[in-house]
């Protein structure tokens, strides 16, 4: 696994995307070089003791020496992060965790596809995944990729253009029907799984959504790679604070994950 | 101190010499390997492993941590692979570091387990000391060993007979009178005391009206507990003769100094390792600077140097 670094760096960009959803960009050539899709950074937003802990944020993409992150303002720490300006310093630990596995040789045939399922802010690591799939020469990357994005309403549908620019087809689901299919993104997934048999599902989003994705995947016997979120302290597998139940016992989201195969998880 | 000389940061715990008094605390540093990319581990005064039990322990159900004002609660519950797997998979890396290795151990059901644990550790010459964790709040017990002076004396005394290694007893702050427990551990043959373990605590999700932690309550650590810890170190320092390893919310050299001045001979850094992995090394260099600036030639002159106004 790539070396983990702690560094102080400067914010390049920190702007609003939609209400509480924000985009952050900072410089770090070592993280930019080493990062793999599905990995995250653990950010200390202030030098004071409240908030005390770092906040784990998925890596959304790499642009040269710059690292892109999306985040939602949910509390004090993310509120402080949102108030930071370009040029302000940031204390970063990364890249961390086990990301998406692009080497797993699924029993692929030319007809099979990858389905990417994003819920709300869960879209963040999946853009980085899509960019990597596009460049990758692995077998998995040769299959067509379809992206399903779900959110509460139209304004929270993020990154549609990024996926389309990569040549991937995108379907949208919103709870209120303000854009695309009216309903859950997992309903969209179920309809896709009914029509075709995808070779691999990649997903990130709220826990109930991931559970529904895992269930849909298990019913059709499709492997699913799910990126989980959990309260976290160290981010490097030392405190064992962020565990999830798996068939192999408790595993850390920060080091064993954040990406797990659905078949391994116990909900 | 020679004018140009560096102050002596060395500290002695019975026959164990530490080159400096700063350790990484049990449960916050894994088995050290987790931190190898982030710091020069060889510079630490000592490293204390995550607590090891006889059998593997899966630990408590998640969520296991939540943040609190200037602190955090954890209910990890001593997840560890058990003594045999610790020896076969974790020890090799720790041995190679060449710094004093302190192995933290706990008994789950009966203090008899300490006998078997010590039996397996005694032969490993690289293990400098044993830390008896008789104060973990996450074992779902009605009462901890370290909440009773008699129980503490019995366990420490029994283990004392089994090991020639340095014995450190880690105490709980969740007691009426910590000095009673400290004196019991000293009388029973402990070489040093580590204090404090976490304070019992709880947080509630008011929207769902459920506990924030999977096992309802946990142990509070971080800067929030520091004043409690400093007071306990001061109280205990005035009652015992063996060295105290002080801990509880140390974030930087300033907060470490409070512990030394209150009476600690060494300090352990815990929660801060999650936030700033470089903290231990920053405290070591900061301590040296403080001693130079204040013309303190060796650490023993700092320990317990609290000045009190005469009334």
């Amino acid at each position: 696994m790539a070396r983990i670094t702690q560094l102080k760096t400067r914010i390049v960009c920190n702007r609003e995307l939609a209400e509480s959803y924000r985009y952050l960009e900072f410089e770090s050539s070592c993280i930019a070089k080493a990062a793999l899709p599905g990995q995250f950074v653990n950010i200390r937003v202030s030098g004071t003791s409240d908030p005390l802990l770092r906040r784990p944020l998925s890596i959304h993409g790499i642009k040269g020496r710059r690292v892109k992150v999306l985040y939602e303002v949910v509390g004090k720490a993310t509120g402080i992060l949102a108030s930071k300006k370009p040029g302000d310093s940031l204390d970063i630990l990364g890249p961390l965790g086990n990301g998406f596995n692009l080497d797993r040789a699924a029993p692929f045939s030319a007809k099979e596809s990858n389905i990417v399922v994003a819920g709300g802010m869960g879209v963040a690591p999946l853009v980085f995944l899509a960019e990597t799939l596009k460049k990758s020469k692995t077998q998995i990357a040769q299959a067509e990729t379809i992206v399903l994005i779900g959110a509460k309403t139209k304004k929270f549908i993020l990154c549609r253009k990024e996926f389309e620019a990569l040549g991937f087809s995108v379907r949208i689901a919103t709870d209120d029907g303000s854009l695309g299919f009216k309903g859950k993104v997992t309903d969209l997934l179920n309809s896709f799984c009914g029509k075709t048999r995808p070779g691999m599902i990649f997903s990130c989003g709220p826990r109930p959504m991931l559970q529904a994705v895992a269930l849909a995947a298990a019913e059709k016997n499709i492997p699913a790679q799910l990126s989980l979120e959990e309260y976290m302290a160290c981010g490097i597998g030392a405190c064992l604070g962020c565990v999830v139940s798996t068939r192999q016992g408790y595993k850390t989201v920060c080091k064993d994950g954040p990406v797990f195969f659905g078949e391994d998880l116990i909900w | 101190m020679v004018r140009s000389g560096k102050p002596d940061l060395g500290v002695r715990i019975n026959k164990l010499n530490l080159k400096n008094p700063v350790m990484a605390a049990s449960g916050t540093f894994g088995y050290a390997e987790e931190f190898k990319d982030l710091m020069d581990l060889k510079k630490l005064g000592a490293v204390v492993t995550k607590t090891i039990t006889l059998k593997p322990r899966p630990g408590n159900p998640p969520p296991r941590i939540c943040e609190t004002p200037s602190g955090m609660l954890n209910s990890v519950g001593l997840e560890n692979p058990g003594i045999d797997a610790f020896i076969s998979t974790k020890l090799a890396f720790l041995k190679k570091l060449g710094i004093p290795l302190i192995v933290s151990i706990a008994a789950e059901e009966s203090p008899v387990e300490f006998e078997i644990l010590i039996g397996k550790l005694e032969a490993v010459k690289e293990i400098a000391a044993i830390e008896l964790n008789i104060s973990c709040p996450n074992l779902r017990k009605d009462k901890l060993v370290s909440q009773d002076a008699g129980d503490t004396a019995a366990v420490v005394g029994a283990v004392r007979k089994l090991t020639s290694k340095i014995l450190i007893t880690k105490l709980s702050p969740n007691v009426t009178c910590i000095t009673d427990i400290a004196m019991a551990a000293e009388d029973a043959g402990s070489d040093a005391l580590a204090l404090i373990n976490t304070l019992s605590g709880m947080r509630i999700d008011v929207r769902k009206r459920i506990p924030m932690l999977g096992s309802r309550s946990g142990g509070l650590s971080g800067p929030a507990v520091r004043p409690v810890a400093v007071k306990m170190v001061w109280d205990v320092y005035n009652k015992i003769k063996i060295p105290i390893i002080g801990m509880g919310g140390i974030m930087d050299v300033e907060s470490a100094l409070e512990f030394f001045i209150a009476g600690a001979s060494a300090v352990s850094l815990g929660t801060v390792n999650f936030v700033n992995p470089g903290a231990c090394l920053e405290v070591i260099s900061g301590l040296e600077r403080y001693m130079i600036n204040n013309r303190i030639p060796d650490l023993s002159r700092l320990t317990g140097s609290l000045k009190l106004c005469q009334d």
Side-chain angles (χ1 to χ4, degrees), chain A residues 2-6 44 49-55 93 230-234 236-241 243-244 250 255, chain B residues 30 34-35 37-38 50 58-65 67 69-72 76 79 223 251 271 274-278:
Chain A
R3 202 184 149 84
I4 300 166
T5 19
Q6 180 188 5
R44 191 177 186 194
S49 64
D50 192 17
L52 179 66
L53 301 174
R54 291 173 178 269
R55 292 295 186 269
L93 202 61
E230 187 50 84
Y231 290 107
M232 198 177 279
C234 70
I236 57 173
C239 70
L240 309 182
V243 297
V244 288
Y250 288 130
K255 194 172 182 180
Chain B
E34 293 86 343
F35 286 82
D37 289 353
L38 297 166
K50 182 150 180 59
N60 287 334
R64 289 178 172 181
I65 58 166
E67 196 164 351
S70 296
M72 65 177 278
V76 172
E79 176 179 336
M251 293 296 283
T271 302
F274 305 151
V275 181
N276 176 18

Side-chain angles (χ1 to χ4, degrees), chain A residues 114-170:
Chain A
N114 299 310
I115 297 197
V116 170
V117 187
M121 190 39 79
V123 76
L126 297 171
V127 172
F128 188 20
L129 168 77
E131 287 166 352
T132 311
L133 273 175
K134 190 75 188 175
K135 284 183 275 185
S136 169
K137 302 225 169 353
T138 59
Q139 192 190 6
I140 227 171
Q142 307 315 308
E144 182 198 4
T145 297
I146 298 157
V147 181
L148 314 179
I149 310 175
K152 272 180 239 157
T153 72
K154 181 181 174 182
K155 68 183 166 202
F156 294 117
I157 296 289
L158 306 178
C159 305
R160 178 183 195 160
K161 280 183 189 151
E162 282 89 331
F163 289 114
E164 285 173 346
L166 293 166
F168 297 158
S169 65
V170 177

Side-chain angles (χ1 to χ4, degrees), chain B residues 122-237:
Chain B
E122 194 64 8
V124 186
K125 66 174 194 308
E126 288 86 354
I127 298 172
I130 303 287
E131 183 173 277
L132 283 181
N133 181 0
I134 51 169
S135 48
C136 174
N138 290 323
L139 286 177
R140 295 182 177 241
K141 299 255 166 127
D142 294 335
K143 193 170 137 198
L144 306 169
V145 169
S146 67
Q147 284 173 325
D148 183 281
D151 293 351
T152 301
V155 168
V156 173
V159 173
R160 176 73 287 173
K161 289 196 190 87
L162 301 168
T163 181
S164 57
K165 294 188 188 297
I166 298 295
L167 192 58
I168 300 163
T169 308
K170 188 159 180 178
L171 303 185
S172 169
N174 303 304
V175 292
T176 314
C177 182
I178 195 157
T179 54
D180 287 351
I181 314 289
M183 288 188 289
E186 180 182 40
D187 290 345
S190 194
D191 294 301
L193 301 177
L195 57 141
I196 58 175
N197 206 320
T198 55
L199 277 153
S200 209
M202 189 172 183
R203 252 198 85 185
I204 293 168
D205 179 333
V206 296
R207 200 169 46 86
K208 298 182 191 160
R209 297 195 201 177
I210 58 169
M212 295 282 277
L213 292 174
S215 47
R216 300 177 191 168
S217 66
L220 181 65
S221 65
V225 310
R226 192 193 304 144
V228 177
V230 170
K231 167 72 160 54
M232 288 188 164
V233 166
W234 165 244
D235 286 346
V236 170
Y237 175 73

Side-chain angles (χ1 to χ4, degrees), chain B residues 11 49 79 83 130 158 163 208 212 239 269 293:
Chain B
V11 58
T49 67
E79 176 179 336
I83 185 75
I130 303 287
T163 181
K208 298 182 191 160
M212 295 282 277
K239 295 277 188 181
L269 274 59
N293 293 342

Side-chain angles (χ1 to χ4, degrees), chain A residues 9 14 20 32 61 85 137 139 154 192 196 220 253 258 267:
Chain A
T9 183
N14 185 10
S20 55
K85 306 265 178 303
K137 302 225 169 353
Q139 192 190 6
K154 181 181 174 182
F192 263 88
T196 62
K220 305 277 176 195
V253 169
W267 299 91

Side-chain angles (χ1 to χ4, degrees), chain A residues 53-133:
Chain A
L53 301 174
R54 291 173 178 269
R55 292 295 186 269
L57 299 174
S58 290
I59 296 171
H60 172 56
I62 301 297
K63 191 163 78 184
R65 297 157 42 90
R66 293 177 184 177
V67 180
K68 300 187 266 184
V69 159
L70 302 186
Y71 65 102
E72 184 179 2
V73 179
V74 289
K76 189 168 176 178
T78 42
I80 292 171
L81 186 58
S83 71
K84 291 192 180 280
K85 306 265 178 303
D88 286 354
S89 91
L90 213 51
D91 179 344
I92 313 264
L93 202 61
L96 303 171
N98 256 318
F100 293 104
N101 183 339
L102 304 190
D103 296 324
R104 172 150 160 171
F108 266 96
S109 73
K111 283 179 194 155
E112 285 174 340
S113 53
N114 299 310
I115 297 197
V116 170
V117 187
M121 190 39 79
V123 76
L126 297 171
V127 172
F128 188 20
L129 168 77
E131 287 166 352
T132 311
L133 273 175

